[in-house]
Amino acid sequence: MKVLVPVKRVIDYNVKPRVKMDGTGVDLANVKMSMNPFDEIAVEEAIRLREKGAATEIVAVSVGPQKAQETLRTALAMGADRAILVMTDDEVEPLAVAKILKAIADEEAPGLVILGKQAIDDDSNQTGQMLAALLGWGQGTFASKVEVTGDAVAVTREVDGGLETVSLKLPAIVTTDLRLNEPRYASLPNIMKAKSKPLLQKTPADYGVETTPRLKTLKVVEPAKRSAGIKVAGVDELVAKLKALGVAA
Amino acid sequence: MSVLVWVEHEAGAVKDATLSTVTAASQLGDVHLLVAGAGVGSVAEAAAKIAGVAKVVVLDDAAFEHALPENVAPAIVAMMADHDAFVAPATSNGKNIAPRVAALLDVMQISDILSVEGPDTFTRPIYAGNAIATVQSADSKKVITVRGTAFEKAAREGGSGVIEAATGSDAGLSSFVGAEIAKSERPELTSAKIIVSGGRALASAEQFHEVIDPLADKLGAGVGASRAAVDAGYAPNDYQVGQTGKIVAPEVYVAVGISGAIQHLAGMKDSKTIIAINKDEDAPIFQVADIGLVGDLFKIVPELTGKL
Ligand SMILES: Cc1cc2nc3c(=O)[nH]c(=O)nc-3n(C[C@H](O)[C@H](O)[C@H](O)COP(=O)(O)OP(=O)(O)OC[C@H]3O[C@@H](n4cnc5c(N)ncnc54)[C@H](O)[C@@H]3O)c2cc1C
C-alpha cells in the first residue's frame, strides 16, 4: 500500500508571529520556517506503517513556494521515498490544496493519505476533510491511533468528550492529532541520502487546478493586548482577591 | 437569507455550543436547525424552543447516530439547495463535518469565526490567535464554523420552530466502533465559569489529581491542562486547553505550573480574570495574568484550598 503525506512549510512553532504594520498579514521575512508540526506527525506515522509492513511506499507532497523543497527534503530525510513539489508563490487555500491533492491521489492511487489536522499558520483545519469529500473516501480526523487491518483502518480520534474509534474502508484519509506519535529526528546520513531521493516539480496548472482565492483578506490586525496585572505576596492575599472576585465565599 | 445550523447535542440535550452558534447565525439570516442522530425526537423539540429558531430539520436514523461525516455531509448538501449558509460550532463534530460539506459544495470554509461583520465578511483568528484576519467570501453559499466563546448564548426558551423530517442514507464508507467518553461531575470546560488548569509541573497523574482536583472542587471549577501535562499522561486528552485543544473564556482561569506558551495562551487568553501560580517569576504566563503568585505550587495550592 502506498501512503501519500502532504506537508506544509509554515512559520516555526517557536516563533512569535508579528503582524505587519500595514495590516496586510503576518511578517514572514527572515523568520524561521519549518514543517507544520502536525505534518511531521503524519510523516512519522507513515514511516511506522511501513516499518510494520502495512505500507510499501511513502510519497510526500507539498504545495507551496520553491523553498517548500526544504520541507520535502526533511520528509525524505525522515524516511519518505520520493516527493512532489507543486510549485506556486500564491497563497493556496485548503479547498484548492485539496483539489490538487485529489488529482495526485487519482494518479498515485494511495491506500491512505495522512495529513496534519491543521496548519499552525491559518489554523483552518479543513484540507483532510475536503480531500476526503472530493475523493469520496472515509475520514478519520484528529487521530491518536491508527491501525490498518486488511482492507480497513481503525482510527481512534481525539474528540471533545474523550476518545472515539471509527473503522474506515480503504482507501481513506487520516488527519493527525498531537498524541499519535513522537516524530523522529532525521540522522545526518539520512539527511545526506535524502538529497538524492527523487523530487518531482509540478505546478497547479499541471493538475488543472485554479488557485484563485475564494476568501479575500481585507485586513490583519493584532488581537487586543492583555496587560500584566499584579503579583500578590502570598496565599492570604490571593484568597482576598478571589473573594473580591466573588468566586470564593 | 436562510441559515442551516448544526445542533450539537448529547444524551438528549442541546449543548451550549449550539446556542452561541445560533447567535452567530441569526446575524446572517433566518435560523433553521439541523438535528441529526438516532432517537432524537426530544432533542428536536428542545431545539425548536431556542429563541429565534424558525424551523428544525430532523435526520433521525441509525446512520446518523454517531455523526459520521461520510453519512451526514451528503444529507446536508441536499438541504443546501434551500439554504444560503451552513453554520456549525467549532466542536470536534463541527470541525469534522463542515469542511466535508464545503468541499462537496465547492465552497471555501471560513473557520472559527469571532464576529460577523457583514453578510459575507467575518473575523477569524490565525497564527494561534496572534493575529485576527478580516475575510470576505466570494462564494455564493457560505460554510462557517463558529468559536463559541466569541458569541453570547441564545436563550433556550422563546422560540417555536416547526419540526420537519428529512432523510439520508449510510454511505457505507465508515462505521462507529466505540468511544471512551469521560464522565465527570465537574462543569464542562467550554461552559465552565471557573477553570483550574494544571501543567507539566504537576509531574504525575497522582499529583495532578491530589493538587488540582480539591481546588477545583472548592471553587466548583472545571479542570483543564496544558498539552505537556496531557502528553505526559497526567490528564486525559479532553482536558487540553490551547490552539489545538479547547478554547475557553471563563470568568476566572487559574493556571497552575503552566509556563504560558503561545499555543496555550491561544486557548485561554480571553478569560476575564487570569490567575497564575508559577515558581518562575519570569514565566510568560505572568505577562497575561491579572493576578500572579510566585512560588512552589505544591505548597501554595494545598494552602489555598485549605483557606477557601
Ligand atoms: C503544534 C503544537 C500545538 C500545540 N498545542 C498546544 C495546546 O493546544 N495547548 C497547550 O497547552 N500547549 C500546546 N502546545 C505545546 C506548547 O508549546 C507548550 O509546550 C506547552 O503548553 C507547555 O506546557 P506547560 O506549560 O505545562 O509546560 P512547561 O512549559 O514545561 O512549563 C511548566 C511550568 O511550571 C513551572 N513549575 C515547575 N515546577 C513548579 C512548581 N513546583 N511550582 C510552581 N511552578 C512550577 C515552571 O516554572 C514552568 O513555567 C503545542 C505545541 C505545538 C508544537
Side-chain angles (χ1 to χ4, degrees):
Chain A
M1 176 177 81
K2 197 189 282 184
V3 180
L4 200 64
V5 187
V7 296
K8 185 178 185 184
R9 180 176 185 266
V10 299
I11 190 168
D12 186 85
Y13 79 94
N14 276 313
V15 177
K16 182 162 165 42
R18 304 241 172 254
V19 173
K20 281 195 242 173
M21 296 294 272
D22 64 2
T24 56
V26 164
D27 196 356
L28 296 178
N30 305 315
V31 164
K32 184 176 180 215
M33 304 290 280
S34 302
M35 189 190 296
N36 178 40
F38 289 99
D39 304 348
E40 282 183 358
I41 296 172
V43 175
E44 176 66 33
E45 194 62 18
I47 298 168
R48 291 189 189 185
L49 286 173
R50 193 182 52 201
E51 287 167 352
K52 278 188 244 168
T56 47
E57 191 188 15
I58 301 165
V59 184
V61 184
S62 191
V63 179
Q66 195 62 44
K67 282 232 163 116
Q69 261 205 38
E70 292 165 15
T71 314
L72 288 169
R73 291 286 172 209
T74 305
L76 293 169
M78 287 173 74
D81 298 296
R82 59 189 172 86
I84 304 171
L85 172 63
V86 184
M87 223 284 290
T88 169
D89 285 325
D90 300 334
E91 213 170 293
V92 188
E93 292 172 341
L95 180 63
V97 172
K99 288 178 182 177
I100 293 168
L101 294 175
K102 169 175 191 307
I104 295 175
D106 286 342
E107 268 179 30
E108 297 278 349
L112 269 181
V113 185
I114 310 180
L115 309 87
K117 78 164 178 181
Q118 79 193 65
I120 60 164
D121 50 3
D122 63 20
D123 282 332
S124 286
N125 195 332
Q126 298 174 2
T127 308
Q129 297 88 317
M130 287 182 157
L131 178 61
L134 298 177
L135 287 165
W137 294 0
Q139 65 188 54
T141 53
F142 327 145
S144 67
K145 193 171 169 201
V146 174
E147 263 178 311
V148 176
T149 31
D151 58 356
V153 58
V155 180
T156 301
R157 311 176 51 233
E158 295 204 2
V159 295
D160 291 341
L163 296 170
E164 172 190 289
T165 304
V166 292
S167 172
L168 311 170
K169 257 203 339 224
L170 292 176
I173 304 290
V174 169
T175 77
T176 62
D177 216 319
L178 294 168
R179 282 162 284 276
L180 181 56
N181 60 50
E182 231 176 278
R184 68 195 64 191
Y185 289 101
S187 66
L188 197 55
N190 285 343
I191 293 173
M192 299 311 291
K193 260 206 291 201
K195 295 195 166 130
S196 55
K197 287 187 181 175
L199 192 155
L200 189 66
Q201 285 245 21
K202 295 280 199 178
T203 67
D206 292 337
Y207 297 104
V209 176
E210 237 262 280
T211 59
T212 316
R214 306 286 186 84
L215 298 183
K216 186 165 149 196
T217 300
L218 302 180
K219 67 173 186 230
V220 175
V221 298
E222 267 185 41
K225 267 219 171 60
R226 266 196 103 97
S227 42
I230 53 146
K231 290 223 173 81
V232 292
V235 171
D236 290 329
E237 212 181 317
L238 182 54
V239 171
K241 290 277 175 202
L242 285 169
K243 284 184 177 159
L245 284 169
V247 298
Chain B
M1 170 143 144
S2 73
V3 185
L4 186 67
V5 172
W6 173 263
V7 172
E8 191 75 36
H9 59 88
E10 190 180 52
V14 173
K15 298 188 76 174
D16 280 354
T18 310
L19 303 175
S20 29
T21 307
V22 165
T23 301
S26 66
Q27 295 172 20
L28 288 170
D30 294 339
V31 177
H32 298 172
L33 300 183
L34 167 61
V35 174
V40 287
S42 61
V43 179
E45 273 164 38
K49 293 196 190 114
I50 296 172
V53 169
K55 187 156 95 176
V56 179
V57 186
V58 188
L59 276 173
D60 200 336
D61 190 287
F64 305 114
E65 185 176 357
H66 300 290
L68 294 172
E70 297 82 0
N71 300 347
V72 171
I76 294 170
V77 168
M79 293 170 201
M80 289 306 288
D82 327 308
H83 291 94
D84 305 293
F86 175 68
V87 181
T91 52
S92 42
N93 278 331
K95 290 188 275 198
N96 199 22
I97 292 163
R100 194 163 177 117
V101 172
L104 293 173
L105 294 169
D106 194 27
V107 162
M108 177 55 205
Q109 173 179 313
I110 308 135
S111 292
D112 218 13
I113 63 162
L114 300 171
S115 70
V116 177
E117 302 290 318
D120 55 6
T121 308
F122 310 90
T123 63
R124 60 174 303 263
I126 53 176
Y127 291 88
N130 283 289
I132 309 296
T134 305
V135 296
Q136 185 174 33
S137 165
D139 289 311
S140 59
K141 295 203 191 271
K142 312 280 181 275
V143 176
I144 294 165
T145 61
V146 173
R147 177 168 290 199
T149 54
F151 294 87
E152 294 290 323
K153 294 186 196 80
R156 282 184 183 268
E157 303 289 335
S160 55
V162 285
I163 299 179
E164 228 174 61
T167 56
S169 58
D170 192 326
L173 294 169
S174 55
S175 56
F176 175 82
V177 177
E180 282 170 54
I181 301 298
K183 279 194 204 70
S184 167
E185 298 298 306
R186 293 207 178 82
E188 214 177 290
L189 272 185
T190 47
S191 47
K193 289 215 159 48
I194 305 171
I195 293 174
V196 180
S197 279
R200 194 199 309 267
L202 273 306
S204 72
E206 292 73 36
Q207 296 191 81
F208 191 100
H209 290 299
E210 277 167 29
V211 175
I212 300 292
D213 290 1
L215 177 59
D217 290 341
K218 269 275 166 70
L219 295 171
V223 177
S226 70
R227 173 193 173 181
V230 176
D231 282 3
Y234 310 159
N237 68 281
D238 51 293
Y239 280 35
Q240 185 182 314
V241 170
Q243 177 187 17
T244 58
K246 290 205 170 80
I247 309 290
V248 301
E251 299 284 317
V252 179
Y253 186 91
V254 188
V256 179
I258 291 178
S259 63
I262 61 168
Q263 294 87 1
H264 189 79
L265 299 184
M268 45 62 82
K269 69 175 180 220
D270 293 326
S271 305
K272 203 144 170 214
T273 301
I274 296 173
I275 299 175
I277 299 169
N278 196 303
K279 71 173 180 192
D280 172 10
E281 64 176 331
D282 296 321
I285 190 77
F286 287 125
Q287 291 165 20
V288 299
D290 300 285
I291 304 168
L293 179 49
V294 180
D296 182 358
L297 73 90
F298 293 106
K299 290 209 185 77
I300 291 172
V301 179
E303 187 186 338
L304 174 62
T305 307
K307 284 183 172 165
L308 284 173

